[in-house]
Amino acid sequence: MTKSNFTRRGVMKSTAFTAGGLALPTIFTGSSAAAFTNEPTGDSVVFGFNVPQTGPYAEEGLDELRAQQLAVEHLNGEGDGGMLNTFSSKALDGTGILGKRVEFVTGDTQTKSDVARATAQSMIQKDGAIMINGGSSSGVAIAVQGLCQEAGVIFMAGLTHSNDTTGKDKKRNGFRHFFNGYMSGAALGPVLEQAYGGERRAYHLTADYTWGWTQEESMIAATEALGWETVETVLTPVGAGDFSSYIAPVINSGADVLILNHYGGDMVNSLTQAVQFGLRDRQVNGNNFEIIVPLYSELMAAGAGDAIKGVYGSMNWNWQLGDEGTAAFTRSFGEKYGFPPSGSAHTCYVQTLLYADAVTRAGSFNPCAVVEALEGFEFDGMGNGPTLYRAEDHQCFKDVLVMKGAENPTTPFDNLEIVEVTPVEQVTYEPDHPMFAGGDLGECNPGA
């Protein structure tokens, strides 16, 4: 494996990794008597920020990286403090974590699971990272979460929406703040019924990996419960670019709704091409043809331009919310970068602070102490209202947003409007729900 060069408090210089299958050795940073993996011994502690800086999800990844850097500044007492000022827990005070300054290294996942695992392994093994945060793909998140479990470090997932992340692939050392496919379906269902009625015929184009599969399953369950018929489901490769060959068959399928289970650049391309094919100008079965994008982001909406107008989807968070936590983060991010943060930025920022807070409350960087501090943790002031990190599966439960493409945006940043804030009770499910069954958190692994 060719190794990349990493710099602390900077970006990765090179991304020349090859696919591994490489077994992770036991990791020690000091003597063999280390109590846990990468136990900090000096005056600083290292975080690993693992995001897509190239590839189809790169825009999301680069915004995650901006937010991660901002979180480190706030933890170290730089800037205005952001959500440290609104977070219901008051353990963090801007003096680092347990007297140690926070530093970081970064990696480019390229939205490839094997590359992401290799970059995370290098950050843990070579750079002494004690926590990994990031990712804009559930395939990446599941791969890195598994690695962190093996290595004995905490994984604070970034943008991962597959049910499997906190379902069959959940791990004791992994935590997810972002919502999931089931929650999107549960939030969207009633809104879609009110907007489009109960007799529709849906055609799905679906990204061919764990997120797409579980998002499709969740949307089919939600829409068929309304009385909709599923006409066809078609898998598409990540990074396909040209989706015309997948969209053309929709025209003669008898469907009057196209559900695009796509994300990032793929969603921008498939939605734009579907509109160019004239789908939204058609009438089928006596209905206006509609398109739905179950998982939205501001960056995707901006990329799709006018094609996004009137299209429904869901989000974990949006900068237009009116709470004080959202206002604090949006102001801080905007002053630093010149534009509002995306939902992916918000998730990585919050996850970084939640990890630091758990360490501080536990009084230890030991991953098992962090796990204990996060399991069942209830908090507020981070932009989503009252939130629970459920102990049984390490999934956060909070309100979910239903969004729609704005008809008349006034800036490049308000092209989505909030249609409904779906209460957490509507998107909550039992830990043994069939869509999440089969997994086992296992035991916490402190590694060394």
Side-chain angles (χ1 to χ4, degrees):
M1 182 174 67
T2 304
K3 299 179 178 66
S4 295
N5 295 315
F6 292 82
T7 56
R8 296 221 176 160
R9 300 182 56 76
V11 298
M12 191 172 69
K13 294 180 179 178
S14 168
T15 55
F17 281 86
T18 56
L22 187 65
L24 182 69
T26 302
I27 301 168
F28 299 98
T29 55
S31 71
S32 60
F36 53 89
T37 297
N38 291 337
E39 180 180 5
T41 57
D43 59 1
S44 66
V45 61
V46 180
F47 291 174
F49 295 145
N50 207 26
V51 302
Q53 300 180 53
T54 59
Y57 294 179
E59 275 200 281
E60 305 293 333
L62 292 171
D63 220 36
E64 289 178 333
L65 185 55
R66 295 181 187 105
Q68 290 161 334
Q69 293 172 329
L70 185 63
V72 168
E73 290 180 10
H74 291 167
L75 290 172
N76 288 332
E78 302 164 8
D80 62 10
M83 283 185 172
L84 263 64
N85 301 314
T86 62
F87 189 13
S88 57
S89 172
K90 301 305 178 186
L92 299 171
D93 60 5
T95 59
I97 308 175
L98 299 184
K100 299 183 186 295
R101 181 175 177 81
V102 181
E103 298 186 346
F104 65 88
V105 291
T106 75
D108 180 6
T109 71
Q110 303 175 33
T111 317
K112 297 176 181 177
S113 297
D114 57 347
V115 174
R117 189 176 167 99
T119 54
Q121 178 172 314
S122 183
M123 286 188 281
I124 295 167
Q125 184 178 350
K126 302 298 183 184
D127 300 293
I130 198 166
M131 181 273 282
I132 303 294
N133 167 246
S136 293
S137 156
S138 291
V140 161
I142 289 168
V144 174
Q145 181 168 258
L147 172 77
C148 289
Q149 181 70 36
E150 297 166 16
V153 302
I154 294 294
F155 177 59
M156 300 297 283
L159 201 163
T160 170
H161 194 240
S162 170
N163 294 339
D164 292 345
T165 307
T166 46
K168 71 178 184 63
D169 295 306
K170 60 181 176 280
K171 299 288 188 248
R172 183 71 65 178
N173 284 42
F175 292 85
R176 170 164 62 178
H177 177 266
F178 206 68
F179 70 147
N180 57 48
Y182 173 90
M183 294 174 172
S184 286
L188 281 166
V191 174
L192 296 178
E193 183 176 32
Q194 184 175 8
Y196 301 141
E199 296 182 5
R200 285 287 192 158
R201 307 186 76 226
Y203 193 112
H204 290 254
L205 293 181
T206 299
D208 190 10
Y209 73 104
T210 178
W211 168 67
W213 307 332
T214 65
Q215 178 64 89
E216 178 187 278
E217 178 187 25
S218 300
M219 287 301 296
I220 287 174
T223 55
E224 289 188 352
L226 307 178
W228 292 24
E229 177 187 349
T230 303
V231 173
E232 187 68 81
T233 61
V234 177
L235 296 174
T236 63
V238 175
D242 183 2
F243 289 90
S244 57
S245 64
Y246 297 101
I247 294 169
V250 178
I251 295 173
N252 297 316
S253 68
D256 51 33
V257 176
L258 173 60
I259 299 179
L260 294 174
N261 301 299
H262 289 157
Y263 196 75
D266 285 347
M267 191 288 288
V268 171
N269 290 330
S270 62
L271 176 60
T272 302
Q273 290 163 21
V275 171
Q276 290 171 346
F277 266 74
L279 291 186
R280 298 194 72 193
D281 300 324
R282 293 170 54 82
Q283 279 234 336
V284 182
N285 308 322
N287 297 315
N288 292 332
F289 195 100
E290 304 291 351
I291 301 176
I292 298 166
V293 176
L295 179 59
Y296 254 142
S297 84
E298 299 88 344
L299 300 172
M300 289 158 47
D306 287 346
I308 210 74
K309 291 184 177 182
V311 174
Y312 285 101
S314 67
M315 292 184 74
N316 186 70
W317 173 88
N318 181 269
W319 67 273
Q320 297 172 91
L321 286 167
D323 62 280
E324 63 175 2
T326 292
F329 177 52
T330 299
R331 178 175 59 253
S332 185
F333 188 98
E335 288 176 354
K336 184 173 179 65
Y337 298 113
F339 48 84
S342 66
S344 54
H346 170 261
T347 291
C348 284
Y349 177 91
V350 168
Q351 284 281 72
T352 303
L353 265 55
L354 285 171
Y355 170 80
D357 174 78
V359 169
T360 306
R361 288 187 292 109
S364 173
F365 287 99
N366 188 309
C368 296
V370 175
V371 167
E372 186 175 348
L374 281 173
E375 287 185 337
F377 180 49
E378 297 181 65
F379 58 93
D380 203 347
M382 303 290 267
N384 291 106
T387 302
L388 166 69
Y389 242 133
R390 189 161 70 179
E392 290 85 351
D393 51 12
H394 296 188
Q395 173 66 56
C396 267
F397 286 86
K398 54 194 181 301
D399 297 345
V400 169
L401 306 183
V402 175
M403 310 294 292
K404 185 170 70 169
E407 295 290 348
N408 298 296
T410 57
T411 75
F413 311 112
D414 64 350
N415 40 28
L416 293 175
E417 59 185 43
I418 300 171
V419 174
E420 179 178 281
V421 179
T422 305
V424 62
E425 294 79 12
Q426 186 176 317
V427 300
T428 299
Y429 52 87
E430 293 300 317
D432 62 352
H433 186 283
M435 289 188 188
F436 298 85
D440 182 0
L441 281 173
E443 299 297 323
C444 169
N445 179 20

